[in-house]
Amino acid sequence: MTPEEALRRRWGYGSFRPLQKEAVEAALSGRDALVVLPTGGGKSLCYQLPAAMGRGLVLVVSPLIALMDDQVAAAREAGLAADALHSNLEADGRGEAYRRLAAGTTELLYVSPERLLVGDLLEDVAARLILIAVDEAHCVSHWGHEFRPEYRRLAEVLERFPKAARMALTATATPVVQDDIRAQLALREPLRLVGHPDRANLIYRAFPRRDQSGQVLDVVRRHPGEGGIVYAQTRKDVDRLAAGLRKAGVSCAAYHAGLPAEQRRRAQDDFVNERLDVVAATIAFGMGIDRSNVRYVVHANTPRSVEHYQQESGRAGRDGLPAECVLLFSASDLVLHRWLAQKDGALAPERRRALERQLREIGRYAAAPVCRHRLLVEHFGAAYAAGGEGCAACDVCLGETKSLSDDEALLAAKKVLSAAWRTEGRFGAGYVVDLLVGRADERMRRNDHDALKVFGILKDAGQATARSWIDQLIVQGFLETAESGDYPLLRITQAGKELCGGQGTVRLGVPAVPRDRARAKTKSRSAAGRGPSGAPADEELFERLRRLRRLIAQKQGVPPYVVFHDSALLEMAALKPGTLDALGGVKGVGERKLARYGAAFLKAIAGGSPEAAAASPAAPS
Ligand code: ADP
């Protein structure tokens, strides 16, 4: 069997995604490889397919214990002899897994790093091992965003299997992190397979935050009945947002470390099994989430770094269908991140510099009126080539955020900067905004600031725009906030003074006014109604197939996406195949799934109710 045949028969896919074939061939020829593919790029296949070739055992090291059982279930659906070994496993499951391993029938074995480091697995697997895949390989690097000490010890173990090829996989790695992975995992002249980091199916939007709950609700309302994640910075924000969404009739649960474990587990379980549409969460949520049809991710606060943003927003649209990522930005979030990072003591100078760089970069991403796809792609060291209209998939290129001309931007910046200059760094951003829009209170009159030339100079632009320009000037280094007793004070920087003197350039954008927001274009609904072939899907049938999938998944005790992805259901709802043969031609329907579920889905496509179709017996696993 060739790799192409295995791909078609086991997974039902007609062709490889970019770099998959190269990765598979490297593994089969015993060569080490470093694979950097964005989320949804198809990393699992790079090590699962070699396991399906019947040449020996593939070991997968993954830190995501919560995900392992689902990954094993998905691999088994493709007909692989797969198992997992980790600390959460019940004795029964463990015994079975060991038995199969000793009998030499296991083709794919997932292990946690802790489990592997114990060292007793070596004898069982050594002889048959052809490949060790290290997933989430960025965890080995200090420079990455999720350093895990136990990953640093993996090289010791790898060295005991000199004959097995090594494959390190990650979704996001800057060139520095890539080098670190190669060194730390002792990859031997690895083939570097670095995919383009762009996620073309995601629409990115970043807006200044004005009304957190209202803006979040706007996004959620664009996606009725679809899966979404709302991230917030603090537990309090999470609780408040979740309560607000529930009050608005949205099926939503909260998730953060302050909630009882049972409640968290239920939220996660309900979300993955599509009994729940929205989870409002701190970033504690997500590592274990593999639901492929998450249609939107909203950040109600600014994340800690571009890497975090890429990772968290990347949970949207893993199935390759359109999805939306919205970030609500305020410079005050960056102040909170800085405070949190240092609350247990001052940082070493190197860490402090890294932190400042990360905050500057995410601030720039969120506030600069520049194509967001371009900024993300360039951050990860790749070039971004867009057509004349830009990416057509971010707020800037869609015209929802307007970029001012150079002259207009300079003029507006000078107005804001001189207000900060005149107030001598003794007031917060709120005060400076009031000054700019000409709203005087007692204190301002006492300070005689209502007599300044800048008083009311941005009256026409309005409060929200003035506020956003301050944030934009902060992230471009023309203004800075300085810690003081109660709240951060706003002051002009040296670069800001130079800009006022005509040196340097500045970019400013004007965010869409709230009324435009409601009209914000989303390709999500309309484009989601098409299968991979581009044919429009019968929406009513799609919903019935989703229901059937849920019923089958429930019966089998696996998440719905393990049965079929949304894209396969959309294609069925578009092409309406009438025979097993035709159904087998749908992308994502492998031989085994066809045999197990084909009859049920044909019944539903022919008009049968999901309940009746689900009752038809599935072939035994
Ligand atoms: P990653 O781990 O890189 O985020 P996954 O391995 O979860 O990505 O794959 C993402 C999705 O793409 C899965 O639904 C997978 O079945 C699908 N996929 C992988 N390879 C192919 C392919 N060659 N053709 C079509 N779909 C694929």
Side-chain angles (χ1 to χ4, degrees), residues 13 15-17 20 38-45 318 565 587:
Y13 297 139
S15 58
F16 282 107
R17 293 248 180 94
Q20 281 181 328
T39 308
K43 284 184 288 298
S44 340
L45 206 98
R318 295 177 72 115
H565 283 295
K587 214 170 158 180

Side-chain angles (χ1 to χ4, degrees), residues 207-551:
F207 296 122
R209 187 167 69 240
R210 276 184 292 261
D211 156 22
Q212 194 180 48
S213 312
Q215 286 173 287
V216 168
L217 190 58
D218 278 350
V219 182
V220 174
R221 286 223 165 107
R222 287 207 282 275
H223 300 273
E226 298 182 330
I229 305 175
V230 177
Y231 283 114
Q233 205 162 0
T234 65
R235 297 173 187 184
K236 221 168 83 192
D237 282 342
V238 166
D239 288 334
R240 189 173 43 73
L241 286 167
L245 287 171
R246 273 197 300 266
K247 208 165 140 215
V250 176
S251 125
C252 174
Y255 186 105
H256 57 67
L259 294 171
E262 169 55 24
Q263 199 174 329
R264 283 197 313 238
R265 198 199 49 75
R266 192 156 13 100
Q268 173 154 337
D269 214 50
D270 286 349
F271 184 68
V272 170
N273 291 296
E274 302 191 11
R275 293 187 295 266
L276 179 70
D277 288 342
V278 183
V279 177
T282 57
I283 59 170
F285 180 77
M287 277 297 263
I289 290 305
D290 211 5
R291 179 168 168 176
S292 66
N293 62 353
V294 173
R295 292 271 71 84
Y296 61 97
V297 172
V298 188
H299 280 75
N301 295 95
T302 319
R304 213 179 328 164
S305 69
V306 174
E307 278 82 0
H308 279 90
Y309 188 59
Q310 179 89 346
Q311 180 105 14
E312 290 151 23
S313 65
R315 297 188 176 120
R318 295 177 72 115
D319 53 12
L321 298 170
E324 184 181 8
C325 306
V326 181
L327 191 166
L328 303 177
F329 173 73
S330 164
S332 60
D333 297 336
L334 306 184
V335 175
L336 184 55
H337 280 308
R338 196 176 285 123
W339 183 81
L340 285 172
Q342 306 181 101
K343 75 176 184 339
D344 299 327
L347 296 176
E350 183 194 349
R351 290 271 297 119
R352 165 100 206 181
R353 273 197 299 279
L355 172 73
E356 289 304 325
R357 182 174 43 76
Q358 288 175 338
L359 294 181
R360 210 165 42 241
E361 284 166 353
I362 187 64
R364 190 166 111 80
Y365 168 81
V370 177
C371 171
R372 318 253 176 233
H373 277 272
R374 169 187 296 281
L375 279 178
L376 286 177
V377 162
E378 290 179 351
H379 179 86
F380 291 102
Y384 188 71
E389 290 180 9
C391 69
C394 77
D395 59 300
V396 180
C397 296
L398 289 169
E400 296 163 8
T401 294
K402 278 206 199 40
S403 190
L404 299 187
S405 72
D406 288 354
D407 291 346
E408 287 169 337
L410 185 61
L411 190 66
K414 279 182 173 172
K415 290 175 182 171
V416 177
L417 292 174
S418 58
W421 205 339
R422 298 273 168 234
T423 49
E424 299 166 331
R426 293 190 288 118
F427 301 90
Y431 185 94
V432 177
V433 168
D434 285 346
L435 174 63
L436 284 163
V437 301
R439 209 168 45 188
D441 63 3
E442 232 340 273
R443 187 159 67 127
M444 199 176 290
R445 279 192 284 271
R446 235 185 8 248
N447 294 330
D448 266 346
H449 283 158
D450 55 343
L452 289 176
K453 236 169 66 186
V454 290
F455 182 78
I457 201 169
L458 289 183
K459 200 180 180 107
D460 291 344
Q463 188 187 0
T465 301
R467 175 89 219 187
S468 158
W469 282 345
I470 287 178
D471 284 351
Q472 295 178 41
L473 291 168
I474 291 174
V475 302
Q476 292 174 72
F478 299 117
L479 287 174
E480 65 185 3
T481 50
E483 312 287 335
S484 74
D486 294 336
Y487 55 90
L489 303 179
L490 189 69
R491 69 176 177 223
I492 189 166
T493 62
Q494 188 53 35
K497 291 178 184 169
E498 284 164 12
L499 190 71
C500 289
Q503 282 177 55
T505 52
V506 60
R507 306 188 70 141
L508 288 181
V510 186
V513 294
R515 140 175 109 261
D516 287 348
R517 241 176 33 220
R519 279 195 280 120
K521 268 190 261 175
T522 167
K523 291 197 278 189
S524 183
R525 252 342 248 180
S526 54
R530 293 180 183 276
S533 65
D538 175 335
E539 293 238 353
E540 191 270 335
L541 177 55
F542 175 61
E543 290 305 328
R544 270 194 296 125
L545 295 179
R546 266 183 81 179
R547 172 141 188 80
L548 170 60
R549 175 178 66 178
R550 206 158 47 227
L551 292 168

Side-chain angles (χ1 to χ4, degrees), residues 7-9 11-15 531-534 564 567-595 598 601-602 605:
L7 183 68
R8 190 166 37 76
R9 293 181 50 186
W11 281 273
Y13 297 139
S15 58
S533 65
F564 283 123
S567 54
L569 296 193
L570 278 170
E571 191 79 331
M572 291 179 205
L575 305 179
K576 303 189 182 168
T579 63
L580 275 177
D581 248 12
L583 185 61
V586 167
K587 214 170 158 180
V589 183
E591 284 176 0
R592 190 184 150 82
K593 288 189 183 180
L594 186 67
F601 278 84
L602 283 180
I605 293 167

